[in-house]
Amino acid sequence: MRKIAFAAGLLLIIAAVAVFMRAPLKDAAYDKLTEDMFVSEDADGFDPGPALGSRFPGVNARYQGRDIRRIDDFAGPNGTVFLAVRSVDWCPYCMRQVAELQASKAAYDAAGLGIVAITYDAPELQQAFIEKQGITYPLIQDVDTLTFKTLGILNDQYAPGDGAYGIPYPGMIVIAPDGVVRGKLFVEAYSSRVDAMSSLAYAKEALGLKP
């Protein structure tokens, strides 16, 4: 009887250790997977999204329990960078990109650029990531794929009912203070993203700001 009790207790300890170690091991695996994901420019011909020179059409999104139609509240004096990512719940490349952008936020603030990111994730999943990574810029939720459809960036490889249905082609849209789209960065390979500081340099050039 004592052997059975000891074995049961040992199994419980092993299970507890496995649960405790799961997050660090997962984070380490994600770090390894994404270590070469960043590139310095958008060098391919992939070009979804609103045309340059057109007006940004707005969003159909949710943020902190309220509906969002315009992103003016998130704009900086010199414009806005609008980051569309697949998921901050299961996409390691998106998680790292959003976190890297947070690490560079002071430089965007200094350039007078607001940042807003959008995913299809449920608000509670977004909030878990926000708290874990200390994200301070707005992370909003697309509602019923309407934002991504309107922007022309809905990934059409997935059908309704698929767990990934509703994700966008990941990328960044640069919007001037008057609401006109002045730049876009969309790398076709979802596992590659333009790094935050190169994106900032691109946005400043697109908006005619000093380097």
Side-chain angles (χ1 to χ4, degrees), residues 72-92:
D72 300 40
D73 290 347
F74 310 134
N78 291 326
T80 310
V81 291
F82 181 88
L83 183 69
V85 293
R86 300 176 352 140
S87 171
V88 293
D89 178 53
W90 54 261
C91 175

Side-chain angles (χ1 to χ4, degrees), residues 62 141 192:
R62 194 164 291 122
Q141 179 205 15
S192 294

Side-chain angles (χ1 to χ4, degrees), residues 38-39 97 100-105 108 172 193-202:
F38 289 113
V39 296
Q97 184 182 24
E100 193 226 16
L101 190 57
Q102 174 64 43
S104 301
K105 183 177 180 297
Y108 282 74
M172 179 181 286
R193 312 290 168 90
V194 179
D195 69 84
M197 293 307 295
S198 296
S199 296
L200 175 58
Y202 171 83

Side-chain angles (χ1 to χ4, degrees), residues 28 43 127 171 206:
Q127 189 60 36

Side-chain angles (χ1 to χ4, degrees), residues 41-167:
E41 62 178 335
D42 177 359
D44 60 31
F46 188 58
D47 189 36
L52 298 183
S54 66
R55 292 195 65 82
F56 186 78
V59 298
N60 190 312
R62 194 164 291 122
Y63 177 60
Q64 295 184 342
R66 58 191 175 94
D67 293 333
I68 301 292
R69 297 290 181 269
R70 300 166 61 89
I71 59 171
D72 300 40
D73 290 347
F74 310 134
N78 291 326
T80 310
V81 291
F82 181 88
L83 183 69
V85 293
R86 300 176 352 140
S87 171
V88 293
D89 178 53
W90 54 261
C91 175
Y93 304 102
C94 301
M95 297 177 200
R96 183 155 184 178
Q97 184 182 24
V98 172
E100 193 226 16
L101 190 57
Q102 174 64 43
S104 301
K105 183 177 180 297
Y108 282 74
D109 291 342
L113 297 178
I115 302 171
V116 57
I118 183 170
T119 78
Y120 83 149
D121 300 307
E124 61 271 19
L125 298 177
Q126 290 183 335
Q127 189 60 36
F129 179 80
I130 287 168
E131 292 175 1
K132 180 179 179 180
Q133 297 293 338
I135 306 301
T136 60
Y137 58 85
L139 183 56
I140 65 178
Q141 179 205 15
D142 186 19
V143 176
D144 297 330
T145 73
L146 291 176
T147 299
F148 298 149
K149 284 180 180 177
T150 300
L151 291 173
I153 60 173
L154 180 68
N155 190 318
D156 59 8
Q157 297 178 9
Y158 303 96
D162 191 299
Y165 176 72
I167 66 171

